[in-house]
Amino acid sequence: MSPVPERRWETGAWVVGLAVNRAGTHAAAALGDGSVRLLDLADPDGGPRASQVHAGACLTIVPDLDDRGFLTGGDDGRLCRIVPGSSGDAAAEPLAEVKGRWIEHVDAEPQAGLRAFAAGRQVTLLDRAGRPACDPLDHPSTVGGLAFAPKGKRLAVAHYGGVSLWWTKAPDVPTRLDWKGSHLGVIWHPAGTHVMTAMQEAELHGWRLKDKAHMRMSGYAAKVRSFAWAARGRWLATAGAEEVVCWPFFGGGPWDKAPLELPGPGSAVITAVAPHPMDPVLAAGRDDGMIFVAPLDGSAPLPLAGRGGSAVSALAWTANGRSLLAGTEDGRLSWITPAR
Amino acid sequence: MTAIPVTVLTGYLGAGKTTLLNRILSEPHGKRYAVIVNEFGEIGIDNDLVVGADEEVFEMNNGCICCTVRGDLIRIIGGLIKRKGDLDGILIETTGLADPAPVAQTFFVDPDVAERTRLDGVVTVVDSRHVTQRLEDSHEALEQVAFADVILLNKTDLVDAGELASVEARLRSLNPFARIVRTERCAAPLDAVLGIGGFDLKRVLEMEPDFLTEADHEHDQSVTSVSLREERPLDPVRFDRWFRTLIQTRGTDLLRYKGILAFAGASRPTVVQGVHMLADSGNTLSWREGQSRASRFVLIGRDLDGEALAADFAACAAS
């Protein structure tokens, strides 16, 4: 096995999230101490540049609408836009502030030119200029997750008891997808045909939108904190078990179809998954700190980083698939460039 | 990762919870507490962390009402643990009308919360002058007393000695395992309130100053406590069978229970405690020097048949 180049830094704070901007020039790690660490992906010798963005903890990070920026939410109630500067320093610009609330769920959709963030039960849509695009959207309980549909015509908001689907151009009354229990995260199928949620219980729930047919995927060892589409939506890769569990979304699946289970080397619970943007492989991180790449054809997994330290809390590939960013709960930040 | 201790403050409206909270936060202890309140800004603290919370009680999707949890608590604790490890504890101030059960159950039911925090104890503030009436007319007041690890019998300056004694006896009969601390304006020493280990199994033995020293009282109220004692060692299989059936059939009526059990052949006592159907047990303790090796079990709940429970408990003795 050829050695896998990895650059690694100890940040001292929980790596809450990782994102790569749309231009692919910079990666950003949002940390539990409220700072963001920016990595210039064109400068393999440079280290992460820290920028204090939030007064408490950063709770989420996503790429912003444009090519360069990122959006972060924090427990100081602020939504911030961060732009890597030419000198390597970042400028942070507050876009919104909701006193006494946490901003934990944020998304941005460039085609629609919309950003969405949740504070308590309300979701606010902001346009490209950062102005509210409509009145705040109300939900029956605190928002557990939100996601724009591909192209941004719709927005899914997860909460207790199900998901609300809004039309983003003229949000009026949402369509409700009901399922008992608390929904903690939501994603759309890349074709916009299915909506999937992760639940308070160790399971997933989902709906096929054309007929609201339910999917219920259980049997996980832990809460499913991380899930993502692999191979252009053919598979839904999920954390929460000792194998990467991939549900088939083709040939009539996932109904009445067994999932693909991709084991890592040895056993530990998977805490993060990140399908490769080009190749039929996916990266997974575990609660023992190990990171590996598993091919979807079931062949042997390739370890990228060994055990030790705490759980892997965030993973992100660059769009070209040449670099993998990884972070852990105890603050390890890794930039890994596996051979292709 | 070390578990962050969590203290839950309950008490009926006007009993003095906020006074206690302000007291805890303003004393020069050098510690940093996150405070979770139900309405943001209810109290003003400059340099401490106050987090607003909604009133979200979740049924799990199995529909079991016994296993309700506080969704807002899970979310907030999930956010707090991501901060750099600078928290010495979390204080949760519940509203005066809140049922403490879903709060306590959250620490049993949610795996992330259970792993990263430790429910140190439930502190209930009661107003000496009004608590007797509240216990008559308010189901929540009863539950708050039933749940307490520590009861701050507050505003003692407003009642005479005789009345105070009778109030205290009434509280003790409802909840024999709580430590009762008499206070004026909530002036209790902090170590009577924080770090008590009341919900922490490892410290139940240290916590049990009056545990079962008093006889069971007769009540016509629906919420009562039943104290069971067995001198003979217990058969673990018999006890397990009885207790599982009990919490499955009567879980909704069992507000809290706590026991120190001597099983036949075991060198250490087993500690059991729980809320409704959610029980936890461990045996990391040793018998103290000179301590009676009797099994003791206290149940607080609605419509408990003390005689039947005593007979069932006695039948768990190893033959």
Side-chain angles (χ1 to χ4, degrees):
Chain A
M1 192 181 95
S2 59
V4 176
E6 178 193 359
R7 270 145 289 177
R8 173 187 284 212
W9 300 275
E10 297 299 332
T11 66
W14 188 302
V15 181
V16 171
L18 285 165
V20 177
N21 63 4
R22 295 184 197 276
T25 59
H26 289 80
L31 303 185
D33 63 3
S35 71
V36 168
R37 305 291 160 101
L38 279 171
L39 276 170
D40 182 345
L41 295 170
D43 178 13
D45 301 319
R49 297 268 196 147
S51 169
Q52 194 64 37
V53 178
H54 293 283
C58 283
L59 297 172
T60 182
I61 186 164
V62 295
D64 196 7
L65 296 174
D66 64 339
D67 279 354
R68 290 186 65 75
F70 300 90
L71 287 179
T72 61
D75 70 6
D76 55 358
R78 297 202 307 164
L79 174 75
C80 289
R81 172 177 156 76
I82 297 146
V83 187
S86 50
S87 65
D89 295 325
E93 171 200 355
L95 289 183
E97 181 161 11
V98 186
K99 284 241 185 282
R101 289 285 173 193
W102 291 3
I103 295 184
E104 228 177 321
H105 306 288
V106 174
D107 198 9
E109 214 300 315
Q111 277 183 266
L114 288 172
R115 299 143 167 150
F117 71 93
R121 298 170 188 212
Q122 283 191 330
V123 171
T124 302
L125 293 177
L126 300 179
D127 64 16
R128 285 184 202 278
R131 286 184 301 253
C134 57
D135 288 338
L137 311 178
D138 287 311
H139 299 90
S141 71
T142 304
V143 171
L146 56 78
F148 283 109
K151 298 180 190 160
K153 287 187 177 163
R154 304 191 88 180
L155 176 74
V157 180
H159 43 75
Y160 184 50
V163 173
S164 294
L165 299 181
W166 301 86
W167 292 102
T168 53
K169 247 190 183 159
D172 181 18
V173 177
T175 305
R176 197 60 58 79
L177 302 171
D178 292 316
W179 185 254
K180 246 185 166 176
S182 183
H183 301 259
L184 305 179
V186 62
I187 54 172
W188 289 81
H189 189 275
T193 49
H194 302 71
V195 168
M196 306 298 302
T197 65
M199 302 205 65
Q200 162 68 25
E201 289 82 1
E203 63 184 54
L204 300 176
H205 201 81
W207 296 265
R208 178 169 60 200
L209 295 182
K210 68 176 183 195
D211 56 2
K212 291 194 183 178
H214 288 269
M215 282 162 265
R216 188 180 185 184
M217 289 98 153
S218 55
Y220 289 93
K223 278 187 206 172
V224 183
R225 282 166 209 292
S226 172
F227 56 157
W229 300 97
R232 288 170 302 282
R234 283 171 68 78
W235 299 96
L236 178 65
T238 61
E242 291 199 349
E243 302 81 28
V244 182
V245 176
C246 299
W247 297 93
F249 277 70
F250 53 88
W255 290 271
D256 304 320
K257 290 243 185 332
L260 193 62
E261 297 184 17
L262 306 174
S267 61
V269 173
I270 310 285
T271 50
V273 292
H276 192 276
M278 319 269 195
D279 301 336
V281 300
L282 48 84
R286 307 196 307 199
D287 66 359
D288 63 355
M290 173 176 267
I291 299 162
F292 63 94
V293 165
L296 277 163
D297 66 8
S299 54
L302 168 72
L304 296 185
R307 288 185 187 82
S310 62
V312 175
S313 50
L315 282 178
W317 289 99
T318 54
N320 63 16
R322 296 206 187 114
S323 291
L324 176 71
L325 289 308
T328 64
E329 292 182 1
D330 64 4
R332 186 177 95 203
L333 175 60
S334 299
W335 176 3
I336 302 168
T337 43
R340 299 196 75 195
Chain B
M1 182 173 292
T2 48
I4 303 172
V6 179
T7 301
V8 177
L9 303 179
T10 77
Y12 213 75
L13 297 169
K17 282 191 308 298
T18 305
T19 309
L20 175 63
L21 190 56
N22 281 331
R23 198 153 204 133
I24 292 172
L25 294 173
S26 59
E27 289 212 2
H29 43 60
K31 301 228 165 132
R32 189 170 159 83
Y33 294 100
V35 180
I36 302 173
V37 297
N38 291 98
E39 283 168 61
F40 183 77
E42 188 181 320
I43 51 170
I45 302 148
D46 294 333
N47 47 5
D48 284 282
L49 184 63
V50 182
V51 179
D54 290 320
E55 284 277 312
E56 285 182 17
V57 175
F58 289 171
E59 260 176 52
M60 309 295 275
N61 66 14
N62 63 9
C64 175
I65 58 159
C66 268
C67 301
T68 51
V69 295
R70 289 286 298 253
D72 43 4
L73 208 51
I74 295 172
R75 189 165 47 244
I76 289 169
I77 288 174
L80 289 176
I81 57 172
K82 287 178 185 145
R83 287 173 156 259
K84 218 170 168 179
D86 60 353
L87 281 180
D88 294 298
I90 297 174
L91 306 174
I92 301 168
E93 186 196 14
T94 65
T95 61
L97 291 170
D99 174 358
V103 174
Q105 288 178 166
T106 304
F107 294 86
F108 290 78
V109 171
D110 185 82
D112 298 338
V113 172
E115 187 183 328
R116 300 178 192 283
T117 62
R118 174 171 67 72
L119 180 55
D120 182 61
V122 176
V123 177
T124 298
V125 186
V126 304
D127 172 342
S128 304
R129 196 164 178 185
H130 296 109
V131 66
T132 312
Q133 185 57 40
R134 288 288 85 78
L135 292 173
E136 302 303 324
D137 61 24
S138 158
H139 142 83
E140 291 84 0
L142 267 176
E143 301 229 337
Q144 289 167 357
V145 167
F147 261 89
D149 296 292
V150 171
I151 297 172
L152 284 199
L153 183 51
N154 195 34
K155 307 193 185 182
T156 52
D157 49 329
L158 302 183
V159 293
D160 63 35
E163 197 177 346
L164 197 57
S166 88
V167 168
E168 188 165 325
R170 172 83 177 100
L171 294 171
R172 185 156 305 292
S173 73
L174 272 172
N175 183 339
F177 50 57
R179 175 182 291 166
I180 297 179
V181 182
R182 296 182 178 189
T183 59
E184 289 176 29
R185 287 172 290 283
C186 289
L190 281 192
D191 61 7
V193 179
L194 301 176
I196 56 172
F199 246 99
D200 180 358
L201 286 177
K202 289 180 190 148
R203 292 184 59 181
V204 168
L205 277 183
E206 297 164 33
M207 178 59 207
E208 43 126 28
D210 304 303
F211 193 52
L212 282 192
T213 52
E214 303 231 339
D216 191 11
H217 296 253
E218 291 297 320
H219 294 288
D220 49 5
Q221 283 84 10
S222 68
V223 173
T224 53
S225 71
V226 171
S227 301
L228 308 172
R229 185 181 179 95
E230 178 54 54
E231 302 292 336
R232 298 168 293 173
L234 302 180
D235 179 319
V237 176
R238 283 181 201 166
F239 176 81
D240 190 58
R241 192 183 301 139
W242 166 68
F243 188 58
R244 274 173 194 278
T245 310
L246 181 71
I247 60 176
Q248 275 165 18
T249 54
R250 298 297 310 280
T252 41
D253 293 323
L254 292 172
L255 301 178
R256 272 199 78 176
Y257 40 90
K258 217 183 248 199
I260 298 166
L261 308 171
F263 286 118
S267 58
R268 289 162 168 237
T270 296
V271 176
V272 176
Q273 70 158 335
V275 176
H276 293 318
M277 282 167 76
L278 303 165
D280 195 6
S281 69
N283 55 357
T284 54
L285 302 159
S286 301
W287 295 108
R288 278 196 307 239
E289 194 84 12
Q291 189 179 23
S292 154
R293 297 203 173 186
S295 293
R296 293 157 298 159
F297 203 20
V298 175
L299 302 109
I300 301 174
R302 276 183 280 271
D303 304 317
L304 300 182
D305 181 342
E307 282 180 25
L309 288 168
D312 291 344
F313 191 61
C316 296
S319 48

